[in-house]
Amino acid sequence: MLKKFYPDYTFKSINDINFSIFTKSKIMWALLDIDNTLVSYTSPKADDNAKRFLKTLDAIGIKYCFVSNNHKKRVALFAEEFCCGYVCNSMKPLSFGINRAMRMLGAQRDKTVLIGDQIFTDVYAGNRAGLLTVMVNPIEAKETPFFGFKRRMEKIVLRNYEAKK
């Protein structure tokens, strides 16, 4: 039952992602969470780390789309710089936003990766959709009490995940 919450790969940050896993898995498309994955949830635009990461995706031929549970103003402002598609209010872990982003990209499930920082939204949504999932640690730990509670629950799942590796 917990397997749906296990990412295929975990990395400390987007800077640590080993791009050879994408080549090995023949990944052609990426669905990317923004807040606490690419940038701090307080950063309105991409920082140097996010820009470098996205340039690397471009360089290896991976097309991407931002998929966020955040509101349109936030997501559109972030995506504007990269002239790429985005899905706001995606309702992860439900599949509506994932499916919409995949249609926008013309993506195939077996060649798509979802990269995010949360087990119960990003990883679970990606796994339910049949995508390769990559989880990174959240950039900023200071969050609302609700997210604090969710992070504690994620730690329990991750301990079980690490024990099964």
Side-chain angles (χ1 to χ4, degrees), residues 13-124:
S13 74
I14 56 171
N15 299 322
D16 300 312
I17 292 176
N18 180 348
F19 290 97
S20 69
I21 64 172
F22 299 155
T23 308
K24 182 176 74 174
S25 300
K26 297 182 171 80
I27 296 299
M28 296 173 62
W29 299 280
L31 306 184
L32 307 171
D33 179 54
I34 297 172
D35 296 323
N36 266 345
T37 298
L38 295 176
V39 296
S40 163
Y41 67 95
T42 59
S43 298
K45 294 212 174 208
D47 61 16
D48 289 341
N49 287 331
K51 288 176 185 177
R52 190 171 32 256
F53 177 76
L54 296 170
K55 282 181 184 175
T56 302
L57 289 181
D58 286 335
I60 61 176
I62 294 178
K63 306 287 184 227
Y64 54 86
C65 180
F66 300 115
V67 181
S68 175
N69 284 350
N70 214 326
H71 55 85
K72 183 175 183 172
K73 184 178 176 183
R74 160 53 167 166
V75 181
L77 178 65
F78 190 89
E80 182 178 89
E81 181 176 356
F82 304 99
C83 299
C84 69
Y86 65 88
V87 176
C88 57
N89 302 311
S90 68
M91 299 173 50
K92 293 178 289 185
L94 300 177
S95 58
F96 306 116
I98 301 289
N99 292 335
R100 183 168 174 224
M102 292 188 65
R103 280 192 307 274
M104 289 169 71
L105 289 169
Q108 299 169 1
R109 292 187 192 287
D110 63 336
K111 293 182 176 142
T112 304
V113 62
L114 187 140
I115 302 172
D117 70 303
Q118 294 186 57
I119 287 176
F120 300 122
T121 54
D122 304 315
V123 172
Y124 186 48

